[in-house]
Amino acid sequence: MLSMTNEEVKKAAAFFTREIEKLASGRSLRLMEVCGTHTVSIFKSGIRQLLPENVELVSGPGCPVCVTPNEYLDTAIAYSRKSDVMITTFGDMLKVPGSSSTLAKEKAQGSDIRIVYSSLEALEFAAKNPGKKVIFLAVGFETTAPTAAAAILMADEAHLTNFYVLSAHKLVPPALRALLASGKSHVDGFLLPGHVSAIIGLQPYDFLSKEYHIPGVVAGFEPLDILQAVYMLMLQIHDQTARLENQYSRIVPKEGNPSACTILSQVYQQTDAVWRGLGKIPNSGMSIREKYQAFDALLNIPIIVEETKEASQCQCGKVLRGLLQPSACLLFGKACRPEHPIGSCMVSVEGTCAAWYKYGAGRWQV
Ligand code: SF4
């Protein structure tokens, strides 16, 4: 696909668009793009406008910052107020509202909060600041969790005693299962996340077709990848079949990345986790195994956390379950904007509300 000329790309896009329209005729369908990177690519490239009106794309719970619950933010904020603690975090997390504050506000008031681009950078801060307890805010899916696991292994090898992880890592397949089990998020097919699948492979999604008879296609991130994946879903729906297919085979091997999975299971174990909007989902999180518990912030640094409060009018929970498009939220584009987010879905560049605001505000109606 990368080697195609512009003319070839246009022809292929026209073919997929035409065929999707034919296959969708007489139906009303909802396809969920699970991953936030897909959401952004769909908005940037105008794919929604290319699809017929009876094929609706809805975003799912695949933006890691968006699904991180207030409780986690409140814990990170409470840690940041301790004078002997340095918080290291991806920049996206700074503006996410907790119950009564944000990390950005705490930083402005003097908390030691550093933005990092990887967990390994957090490790460097720990090595250079032996007088501080350096906590890495480990937020992300199967894609980023292996690097946090590698940082823990490296800290162990280096006998670092001031590096800690506050884990909010999450697993995508259990969240999809929870969405389907709830019976509320009516979805006719899933565009599955390419990056996550490159780590976990295809097998963890088998239940979609086997237990729920729902088609799934692992998709790449170029606009043509997404159009082709929608076309592949439409073919299955038209044929009344349900399979797991891989549109992104140039990057996603069937078996995923066994080395990354080995590091993950060496350091982490599956545990129940709370997702914003979806509540507690069995086996959808990752906690640090007993062998590496010296690096678990919660087990080693006592903290008192304020009682969790949710922003009362924010509809992020419904947005993350595909039950509501952002423009149907009364705060969208008014009280809630990227420079003043009320909910997490307006913070991250991969957040559905942020993508709607940046690329589509006022142009698409629910
Ligand atoms: S527009 Fe803002 S308040 Fe409304 S659901 Fe999105 S993030 Fe929440």
Side-chain angles (χ1 to χ4, degrees), residues 313-316 319 326 329 331-332 336 342-346 353:
Q313 287 179 288
C314 177
Q315 306 276 357
C316 267
V319 171
C329 169
L331 305 184
F332 177 78
C336 184
I342 305 284
S344 60
C345 300
M346 190 59 95
C353 298

Side-chain angles (χ1 to χ4, degrees), residues 8-192:
E8 287 168 332
V9 169
K10 274 189 202 164
K11 269 191 188 162
F15 169 79
F16 290 137
T17 310
R18 206 171 44 241
E19 291 303 308
I20 289 168
E21 188 158 359
K22 275 193 226 162
L23 292 165
S25 173
R27 303 162 196 268
S28 182
L29 298 167
R30 298 180 90 229
L31 307 179
M32 177 176 277
E33 89 269 1
V34 174
C35 171
T37 314
H38 279 148
T39 302
V40 172
S41 185
I42 286 166
F43 272 98
K44 261 183 165 170
S45 57
I47 284 178
R48 280 168 178 265
Q49 290 126 307
L50 289 178
L51 296 180
E53 276 182 11
N54 53 335
V55 177
E56 186 187 9
L57 286 178
V58 291
S59 305
C63 155
V65 169
C66 306
V67 297
T68 301
N70 267 10
E71 190 185 340
Y72 180 88
L73 263 307
D74 294 343
T75 306
I77 286 166
Y79 274 133
S80 78
R81 289 171 180 163
K82 288 176 88 84
S83 58
D84 59 344
V85 163
M86 175 195 291
I87 296 288
T88 53
T89 177
F90 299 131
D92 269 7
M93 291 293 287
L94 254 67
K95 282 185 2 191
V96 183
S99 294
S100 62
S101 184
T102 64
L103 287 166
K105 279 185 198 158
E106 299 301 321
K107 186 171 165 62
Q109 284 164 21
S111 288
D112 192 353
I113 298 171
R114 314 289 177 104
I115 293 173
V116 294
Y117 294 93
S118 82
S119 50
L120 302 182
E121 221 179 312
L123 207 57
E124 280 173 30
F125 273 117
K128 287 180 186 159
N129 295 274
K132 287 271 189 173
K133 293 173 177 152
V134 176
I135 301 178
F136 174 61
L137 304 187
V139 170
F141 297 122
E142 293 91 332
T143 330
T144 48
T147 55
I152 288 175
L153 290 177
M154 288 167 76
D156 189 42
E157 210 173 290
H159 305 293
L160 270 183
T161 56
N162 66 329
F163 176 71
Y164 303 92
V165 167
L166 184 61
S167 177
H169 283 309
K170 292 187 170 49
L171 301 164
V172 169
L176 301 186
R177 182 184 280 284
L179 273 183
L180 293 173
S182 75
K184 290 183 185 157
S185 306
H186 175 70
V187 175
D188 297 292
F190 283 104
L191 288 173
L192 297 165

